[in-house]
Amino acid sequence: MSWPRRLSSATASLTAVVSVACCAVTAAAPDVSAGLVFALVSAVFAGAFATGLGLFVSRRRPANLVGFLLTFIGLVPPVQTLLDSYAEVSLSRPLPGAEAVHQLAAGLWTLWYVPVLLLMLFFPGGRLPPGRFPRLVLYGVLTVTPAFILLAALDPTAYDPPFEEFGHPLPTLPTPVVWLLVLPLLVLFMALLIASALVMRHRYRTGGPVERAQLKWFALGALALPGTLLLCWVNYLLLGELTALIWVGLAALAIGVPSLTALAILRHDLYDVDRTTSAIVTWGLLSAGLLAVYSAVSFTGGLALGRGHAVVSAGVTALVAIVLVPAKNRLRRSVDRRFYPVRERALAAVAALEREVHAGRARPEQLEEVLRDALCQPGLRVGFLLPGGTTFNDMSGSPVAQGLEVRLAGRPIGILDGPCPREVADASALLVETVRLRLELRQALGETEASRGRLLRTGYRERRRLERDLHDGAQSRLVSLGMALRLAQRHLDDGSVDVDQLLDQAVAELGTAVAELRELAHGLRPSSLDDGLGPALESLTLRAPVRLDWRLEGHVLADDVATTAYYVASEAVTNAVKHANATSIGVVVGTGGDGTLHVSVEDDGRGGADLQRGSGLAGLKDRVAALGGVLHITSGPGQGTTVRAVLPCAS
């Protein structure tokens, strides 16, 4: 086990011991106040949360010191709460050394900030940057903090209620001397905070893309340090008592910093850090503005109105909040230009492309290229959902499996496969819709051209077949019949020809020719359709070698519509039996409320039917399209096949 991981484990164990001691001390109080219970629960939770994250980071990055520093953050809340509760419990039940503990704990509040300062120096690699300056900052943090804690313990000033009766059992120094030494330390502490931020800034400028993204996430959490200091000072200067402002700051230190630090170390690419930074800075500025208004009104109201100024301060602050609502979007745009330039650049690029398209100087198909350049994402792909389709495909027809959906009027029309802000996707909706419709038109024209070619080839092929069948069958028989009749005519007077036999042969040949012509006609149109679509489907059921259930709903159909519907059912049933090994087939034909006829054929076969590979299905699609209808096929592997045709009809 590496030494950083050993430190993490040892700190976690110490945190557990201190948390148990906190519970024991609190339980020893004869009358536990609600504030003490709240402080205990908050400290134990914050300590366990930060410690758990620290152990997890140490396990994933055992050689990195960041995990240990996170467990250090988790140790501070229980330690602070243990010392405070020990002194508070001693007010009602004397505990040994309570006054000495209270005196030593006077300056321990600085421990809340030390782990964050150290993280600013060691994050993200767990090592100090090269150079003398980072080492001096580290030595300053490790020296100034204990010096301040020691001097705070030597202050002889009387304690605030309820500890005003507590004395100072440990040695003290005169108050002027203490303040003469403490004030420079406070100034130096702030200087160390600024110096640590400069170390982070240098690391950011010299680091790679991954390290920069990690530092951005951590910087969001590290903002809690100066923010908490500011809240504490505002609280003590204006309110003079413990309020929710301090708890908000401490919660940000104990929970926000470990969360964002662990996220930065382990999953820095999970979310868009620039977008998050922009939102936090925007709301932070608004909150700071409202806090400044409240503070100013509280101060001036306290001077003018005395103790009853709180309601006036809250009212004025609420009024300012209402006034600031319209300015929020303008403020966010200003912040975005500084902290979220990718979003602003992409929005501007999309707007510029729209203007160029409207002016006829660009094509909407350039959207993918424009987004790649604006977002600095060379692998970004734009997928389009064609009407009637279920999958997204790019310009080349390749599937785009996942990404950020582009919606128009609440329905998905495209997808962006790559890091992209939601606002950019929304701004691209009109361009995506334009490209989608152009692709649909291009596909429809291509399918029409291909269908026209197939119909032309099919017509030529059927014409040759009919010519061959007529020539070899009925035509030859009729020619032979004509020659026989001519022969009978010539020899009718001399009696050399048996006229009765010749006429019998002629009638037989004529019957055979009629039968062959009827068979040819049946090949063009089933004879069962003479009685309607229902009897034709019934005859199809009788010929099917598997179970076939059919249902016909609607009125009398036009002949061409009924013929096309029959061929849809016949071809789908034939394919199900021949290729899909189906055991059950259902055929439903019914009229819709929009003047259309719906033909649906479902089977339980193996599926996998494809319009592009089956000539029968392609011919069927052409037949349906020739009538102005649409053919859809759903055929997942192992899920059976569903053939649906929508035909216009006048029924």
Side-chain angles (χ1 to χ4, degrees):
M1 184 183 295
S2 61
W3 67 269
R5 190 172 178 183
R6 289 194 184 94
L7 284 176
S8 301
S9 301
T11 308
S13 301
L14 182 58
T15 302
V17 172
V18 174
S19 299
V20 171
C22 281
C23 296
V25 170
T26 304
D31 185 16
V32 180
S33 64
L36 190 60
V37 173
F38 174 76
L40 172 64
V41 173
S42 302
V44 172
F45 172 77
F49 181 80
T51 299
L53 286 179
L55 290 176
F56 184 71
V57 171
S58 293
R59 183 177 180 181
R60 299 292 299 273
R61 304 287 189 273
N64 198 322
L65 200 62
V66 170
F68 158 68
L69 294 177
L70 292 180
T71 59
F72 189 5
I73 293 177
L75 175 62
V76 174
V79 168
Q80 185 74 51
T81 304
L82 175 62
L83 298 178
D84 292 342
S85 60
Y86 193 85
E88 184 172 345
V89 169
S90 67
L91 294 174
S92 55
R93 178 181 179 179
L95 297 177
E99 293 186 349
V101 169
H102 189 64
Q103 183 178 350
L104 289 173
L108 285 180
W109 59 268
T110 52
L111 291 181
W112 286 88
Y113 307 101
V114 171
V116 182
L117 283 173
L118 295 178
L119 277 172
M120 294 171 69
L121 296 175
F122 286 92
F123 187 86
R127 293 181 175 84
L128 280 176
R132 184 180 179 185
F133 183 72
R135 289 197 301 272
L136 292 176
V137 177
L138 174 63
Y139 298 152
V141 172
L142 298 179
T143 303
V144 170
T145 304
F148 179 84
I149 294 174
L150 176 61
L151 286 173
L154 298 179
D155 185 10
T157 305
Y159 299 117
D160 295 330
F163 304 104
E164 64 272 14
E165 300 298 330
F166 273 31
H168 295 78
L170 301 179
T172 60
L173 293 175
T175 300
V177 175
V178 171
W179 281 103
L180 184 63
L181 298 175
V182 164
L183 288 178
L185 288 179
L186 287 175
V187 174
L188 184 57
F189 189 83
M190 292 302 302
L192 291 173
L193 173 61
I194 297 173
S196 301
L198 293 176
V199 172
M200 281 184 57
R201 181 184 179 187
H202 176 74
R203 195 192 292 268
Y204 177 83
R205 288 184 171 181
T206 58
V210 173
E211 189 172 9
R212 287 189 173 191
Q214 290 177 324
L215 286 168
K216 286 180 180 179
W217 279 116
F218 174 71
L220 290 179
L223 287 175
L225 197 155
T228 303
L229 286 173
L230 178 62
L231 288 175
C232 290
W233 288 344
V234 169
N235 180 87
Y236 285 121
L237 290 175
L238 298 180
L239 304 178
E241 58 184 5
L242 187 65
T243 66
L245 293 178
I246 293 180
W247 290 112
V248 170
L250 296 181
L253 280 176
I255 297 178
V257 173
S259 300
L260 292 177
T261 302
L263 176 66
I265 286 289
L266 303 177
R267 293 294 303 273
H268 67 277
D269 56 347
L270 185 61
Y271 301 105
D272 189 346
V273 62
D274 292 328
R275 180 178 183 179
T276 307
T277 303
S278 174
I280 290 178
V281 171
T282 300
W283 288 106
L285 290 175
L286 288 174
S287 301
L290 293 178
L291 180 61
V293 170
Y294 180 80
S295 302
V297 174
S298 297
F299 181 75
T300 56
L303 295 178
L305 303 176
R307 300 176 60 87
H309 68 281
V311 176
V312 176
S313 302
V316 173
T317 305
L319 180 62
V320 173
I322 295 175
V323 174
L324 285 179
V325 169
K328 179 181 72 68
N329 292 333
R330 182 179 299 178
L331 175 62
R332 182 175 182 179
R333 287 193 294 268
S334 300
V335 173
D336 284 346
R337 284 192 291 269
R338 178 64 181 87
F339 293 95
Y340 199 11
V342 171
R343 173 181 175 272
E344 290 298 305
R345 186 168 61 245
L347 289 175
V350 171
L353 179 60
E354 285 186 348
R355 290 193 299 269
E356 293 295 309
V357 169
H358 291 163
R361 295 188 294 268
R363 297 177 298 107
E365 287 81 3
Q366 297 174 238
L367 175 63
E368 184 175 87
E369 180 183 352
V370 168
L371 290 179
R372 286 179 175 179
D373 293 339
L375 297 173
C376 300
Q377 296 293 334
L380 184 141
R381 299 167 64 204
V382 181
F384 306 91
L385 180 64
L386 295 183
T390 57
T391 59
F392 297 92
N393 299 282
D394 60 12
M395 294 290 299
S396 63
S398 301
V400 181
Q402 60 184 2
L404 180 64
E405 279 193 354
V406 180
R407 291 180 169 269
L408 186 64
R411 57 186 177 87
I413 59 173
I415 195 170
L416 300 179
D417 182 11
C420 179
R422 162 53 61 187
E423 295 86 352
V424 177
D426 294 339
S428 305
L430 290 179
L431 289 173
V432 171
E433 177 72 358
T434 303
V435 176
R436 190 175 75 99
L437 294 177
R438 286 161 66 101
L439 288 175
E440 179 191 9
L441 178 60
R442 187 183 308 168
Q443 178 179 332
L445 291 175
E447 291 180 354
T448 301
E449 186 69 26
S451 176
R452 183 184 302 169
R454 288 194 298 267
L455 289 174
L456 187 61
R457 290 191 296 271
T458 301
Y460 287 150
R461 185 168 58 251
E462 288 299 312
R463 183 182 301 173
R464 289 195 298 268
R465 183 182 67 82
L466 288 174
E467 290 176 353
R468 183 175 62 251
D469 292 345
L470 288 172
H471 180 272
D472 297 340
Q475 179 181 341
S476 63
R477 293 184 185 280
L478 292 175
V479 170
S480 176
L481 176 61
M483 294 175 63
L485 291 176
R486 178 65 67 183
L487 180 62
Q489 181 185 17
R490 290 178 180 177
H491 296 281
L492 185 62
D493 295 335
D494 58 15
S496 60
V497 176
D498 187 353
V499 176
D500 292 336
Q501 181 181 0
L502 183 62
L503 291 176
D504 289 340
Q505 292 178 354
V507 171
E509 288 289 336
L510 185 59
T512 303
V514 170
E516 291 179 351
L517 288 174
R518 184 178 291 113
E519 290 180 359
L520 288 175
H522 288 173
L524 298 177
R525 181 182 183 277
S527 60
S528 56
L529 281 171
D530 294 340
D531 300 324
L533 182 58
L537 293 177
E538 180 66 29
S539 66
L540 184 63
T541 303
L542 296 176
R543 296 197 309 269
V546 299
R547 176 186 174 185
L548 194 154
D549 301 321
W550 66 277
R551 186 171 76 252
L552 176 62
E553 305 168 350
H555 306 288
V556 178
L557 301 172
D559 187 68
D560 55 346
V561 176
T563 302
T564 303
Y566 173 81
Y567 274 114
V568 170
S570 177
E571 181 69 23
V573 170
T574 300
N575 287 338
V577 174
K578 184 178 179 180
H579 303 293
N581 297 327
T583 60
S584 177
I585 305 174
V587 179
V588 178
V589 181
T591 55
D594 53 352
T596 59
L597 180 72
H598 296 259
V599 183
S600 176
V601 183
E602 299 183 15
D603 66 65
D604 61 352
R606 62 188 179 186
D610 189 356
L611 275 173
Q612 305 299 326
R613 295 182 297 179
S615 59
L617 291 176
L620 193 62
K621 182 179 181 181
D622 294 338
R623 183 185 290 270
V624 171
L627 198 64
V630 180
L631 184 72
H632 297 291
I633 295 180
T634 304
S635 185
Q639 300 177 2
T641 300
T642 300
V643 178
R644 290 189 177 90
V646 181
L647 305 173
C649 65
S651 58

